[in-house]
Amino acid sequence: MNNNNLKKSAMVLAITSALGTSMGASASVDLYNEDGTSFSVDGYFNAFYVTREDEVPDTRDTRIKMGFLPNTIGFNFTKEMGDLVLGGRSSFWTTINDSLDSPTDTAIDVRQFYATVDGAFGQVLMGKDFGLFARSNIFLDEILMGFGSPGAAGGVSFGNIRAGYPYPTPSAQITYRSPDLSGFQIAVGALDPADTVTGAGDENSAPRMESEITYTVDLDGVVLTGWLNGRYQSSTNGNTTIDSSGVGYGVKGSVAGFTLAASGFDLKGNSPVLVVNEALTEDRADGYLIQTSYAFGPNKIVLSHGKTDAEILNLKTESNTFGFFHDVNSNFKLVAEYNMYEDKNRASGVISTDTDTIAIGAIVNF
């Protein structure tokens, strides 16, 4: 990936890496809960001591950075109205990586700002939230709360984005989710389309359509989760039409502290990094991520291997991560990671990035 694309992606990812599903963060503090009305707040804060050594180019850099997930604070609302429950969430995500690069210009991204209507029929979500395509690929990543592969020297880490899965960019949407159907759940959404022909001024006869099917079952202590998600969009500008499509999939199994997960994706006319407004072609990209972990007591060890092959960027990437996570308590986690990342020109095989990264960090969430 050339420097311009890398810096562009890093700048966007500094305000767009994911923490959780549309249900909000895993922990929250109730500020009000009476008469069928509730209001709660959740937060996620982290910092890492990061040493990065590049063989190509030959450089060494030590920084204090946040991990794959930015620091965030979220607000959640619910109100019971007869047979319906009305809800909403707004979350604000910020980087600590600006530091001396832009000391008074911290970026804050409103990554989620939506209302929900829940009933016996399921849920309808209206507003801005993460996309459905590649959603479970990233949210079930074993190193989601770690560091992963590096980005630009002054930017954020990329986790396994660009070397295992693309990013479900938060977008304006109207999405329906079914109730639990004996372990199955279906989500279908109409999302605001991206400009994919010339970068601006595209004509779209329909919004971008995304969907995801998930299935979870417990077989005598063996917990299995499988998913299949997709995306389709057609954009026209003048005499040029780009049909964009994508399929993501995966399975994850856990038993007695052991977890094994495998996921993958296949794209046409989409960037394998993230959805943005930029001119694309109908070239293909695909990739996969394989992970295993073992949890014992408050500790977890993770091994992760991911690859992406992208005609659309003329790029091949590979990322390998060893991670150690230790829960001091339910709200305080320590992390140590070692990552090896490489990308090279798909046509010539010339390596453009060969980087080893050590990251040691702490996470506080509530």
Side-chain angles (χ1 to χ4, degrees):
M1 184 178 293
N2 64 44
N3 288 336
N4 288 337
N5 285 340
L6 192 59
K7 290 177 180 177
K8 179 180 179 182
S9 297
M11 180 173 63
V12 175
L13 287 169
I15 56 174
T16 54
S17 295
L19 172 61
T21 69
S22 60
M23 299 300 178
S26 59
S28 63
V29 176
D30 282 336
L31 302 182
Y32 180 85
N33 193 348
E34 293 184 11
D35 302 323
T37 300
S38 70
F39 172 60
S40 65
V41 61
D42 54 76
Y44 181 90
F45 310 93
N46 72 98
F48 284 76
Y49 182 95
V50 181
T51 298
R52 169 178 173 169
E53 185 172 353
D54 291 70
E55 294 185 25
V56 180
D58 187 11
T59 59
R60 185 179 178 89
D61 192 32
T62 299
R63 300 288 296 263
I64 305 298
K65 298 166 63 71
M66 66 186 182
F68 182 33
L69 301 179
N71 293 269
T72 182
I73 187 166
F75 302 95
N76 310 286
F77 312 83
T78 64
K79 184 174 181 63
E80 297 177 11
M81 300 290 290
D83 293 333
L84 300 178
V85 177
L86 307 182
R89 174 170 172 81
S90 59
S91 66
F92 304 88
W93 307 61
T94 184
T95 176
I96 65 172
N97 294 345
D98 48 4
S99 299
L100 301 181
D101 298 329
S102 52
T104 60
D105 191 28
T106 296
I108 297 177
D109 176 41
V110 183
R111 192 164 311 175
Q112 295 171 302
F113 209 105
Y114 60 76
T116 55
V117 180
D118 286 80
F121 56 84
Q123 181 193 81
V124 176
L125 179 148
M126 303 164 288
K128 183 180 182 181
D129 193 19
F130 299 100
L132 300 177
F133 171 67
R135 188 184 186 97
S136 291
N137 298 56
I138 185 171
F139 290 164
L140 296 179
D141 185 351
E142 289 286 294
I143 65 163
L144 185 65
M145 299 179 74
F147 195 83
S149 70
V156 303
S157 70
F158 277 33
N160 282 311
I161 293 174
R162 74 177 174 165
Y165 48 69
Y167 176 58
T169 306
S171 303
Q173 62 186 272
I174 301 173
T175 295
Y176 166 75
R177 287 179 172 83
S178 72
D180 184 281
L181 305 171
S182 300
F184 283 96
Q185 188 170 37
I186 301 169
V188 180
L191 285 72
D192 195 46
D195 288 335
T196 59
V197 180
T198 62
D202 288 4
E203 297 179 7
N204 303 98
S205 59
R208 185 168 85 249
M209 300 303 298
E210 298 194 3
S211 61
E212 182 172 60
I213 301 173
T214 59
Y215 178 65
T216 300
V217 63
D218 188 335
L219 302 174
D220 295 327
V222 180
V223 179
L224 297 175
T225 299
W227 65 91
L228 177 68
N229 48 56
R231 167 195 295 158
Y232 178 77
Q233 175 187 313
S234 182
S235 298
T236 300
N237 194 306
N239 295 322
T240 303
T241 298
I242 296 292
D243 290 324
S244 306
S245 61
V247 175
Y249 48 87
V251 62
K252 187 171 187 175
S254 300
V255 59
F258 287 96
T259 296
L260 181 63
S263 65
F265 72 93
D266 188 279
L267 287 170
K268 185 188 77 169
N270 281 293
S271 169
V273 182
L274 69 165
V275 175
V276 293
N277 288 331
E278 62 178 326
L280 298 174
T281 69
E282 292 189 0
D283 287 347
R284 307 191 74 90
D286 59 72
Y288 66 85
L289 181 67
I290 299 173
Q291 297 181 318
T292 184
S293 69
Y294 177 60
F296 52 103
N299 308 301
K300 183 169 73 170
I301 296 173
V302 179
L303 295 175
S304 176
H305 170 72
K307 283 189 174 183
T308 290
D309 184 351
E311 292 178 345
I312 202 167
L313 297 177
N314 190 27
L315 181 72
K316 282 189 175 182
T317 66
E318 180 175 347
S319 182
N320 295 287
T321 303
F322 171 79
F324 177 77
F325 298 80
H326 174 74
D327 291 330
V328 178
N329 54 50
S330 59
N331 298 96
F332 182 32
K333 184 187 298 288
L334 301 177
V335 183
E337 266 191 22
Y338 176 62
N339 173 267
M340 297 175 289
Y341 174 78
E342 177 185 279
D343 67 41
K344 60 185 177 182
N345 185 289
R346 188 175 184 273
S348 67
V350 174
I351 296 174
S352 54
T353 304
D354 188 352
T355 302
D356 292 352
T357 305
I358 296 175
I360 300 174
I363 298 166
V364 173
N365 70 293
F366 63 88

